Amino acid sequence: MALRRIVKVGDPVLRTVCRPVTMFDQNLHTLLDDMHETLDKAEGVGLAAPQVGCCRRFFIMHLGDMRIEAINPEIIKKSGKQRVLEGCLSVPNQWGYVTRPNKCKLRAQDRNGNWYEMTLTALGAQCTCHEYAHLDGQLFTDVVEEFVKPEDLEEA
């Protein structure tokens, strides 16, 4: 495994609509493994393929002990609302409040191409929607309702 460089805001790959994954091979497995290591090192919750320069439709999430790989994901149902503070590894030192669903149902493929469905709530739903938006070239800053200064975060 190897650390990948996390692409920062301003790089055009972050604004590109990603193409579906069609090859479930060792190259994909290696990239997924590298993304897990990169996410651990960055101490984040989620990481989408375009954030490491790959314009394909997949992302990973680390929710506690659960490590999720969502390839060719679809959000097939959303419900509820939560106003949450977000940041992004590709947008350093920017934070803001956004409204996300409190619950969502995800349909995706695993690293071997097998389809699965899962329901996520709270942080899981928030992260799913945040990472899914990356696959369509959107950043959390596009939907921020109120930005928060980094120094205000330290006071809280």
Side-chain angles (χ1 to χ4, degrees), residues 7-9 88-95:
V7 174
K8 303 294 188 245
V9 67
C88 179
L89 296 172
S90 290
V91 187
N93 302 314
Q94 285 196 36
W95 298 87

Side-chain angles (χ1 to χ4, degrees), residues 82 84-86 100-101 121-131:
Q82 57 178 331
V84 289
L85 185 63
E86 279 192 12
R100 299 277 189 198
T121 59
L123 178 61
Q126 174 190 353
C127 188
T128 297
C129 293
H130 176 113
E131 299 308 329

Side-chain angles (χ1 to χ4, degrees), residues 8-155:
K8 303 294 188 245
V9 67
D11 190 309
V13 74
L14 292 174
R15 293 299 188 176
T16 303
V17 175
C18 297
R19 299 182 310 271
V21 172
T22 56
M23 299 288 293
F24 294 82
D25 58 8
Q26 188 56 49
N27 289 334
L28 175 64
H29 296 187
T30 298
L31 180 53
L32 286 165
D33 292 342
D34 290 352
M35 287 174 65
H36 284 292
E37 184 175 349
T38 302
L39 185 56
D40 283 340
K41 177 77 171 169
E43 298 180 354
V45 179
L47 190 64
Q51 292 181 273
V52 293
C54 178
C55 197
R56 292 282 188 237
R57 295 192 76 78
F58 66 93
F59 60 82
I60 64 166
M61 298 185 294
H62 293 175
L63 301 171
D65 292 335
M66 189 167 42
R67 296 164 78 87
I68 298 167
E69 297 175 348
I71 302 164
N72 296 324
E74 304 166 27
I75 297 174
I76 55 178
K77 187 175 183 181
K78 301 180 204 176
S79 62
K81 287 185 179 180
Q82 57 178 331
R83 188 168 190 260
V84 289
L85 185 63
E86 279 192 12
C88 179
L89 296 172
S90 290
V91 187
N93 302 314
Q94 285 196 36
W95 298 87
Y97 286 98
V98 299
T99 299
R100 299 277 189 198
N102 192 52
K103 186 176 182 179
C104 71
K105 188 169 189 178
L106 173 69
R107 181 175 190 265
Q109 290 173 281
D110 66 18
R111 65 173 51 211
N112 298 311
N114 301 307
W115 287 98
Y116 70 89
E117 290 183 3
M118 68 186 310
T119 299
L120 297 117
T121 59
L123 178 61
Q126 174 190 353
C127 188
T128 297
C129 293
H130 176 113
E131 299 308 329
Y132 185 84
H134 275 298
L135 307 182
D136 290 325
Q138 299 167 357
L139 298 173
F140 89 100
T141 52
D142 299 337
V143 295
V144 163
E145 299 156 0
E146 174 189 357
F147 282 99
V148 177
K149 296 176 185 165
E151 57 268 20
D152 292 340
L153 293 172
E154 293 170 5
E155 295 171 7

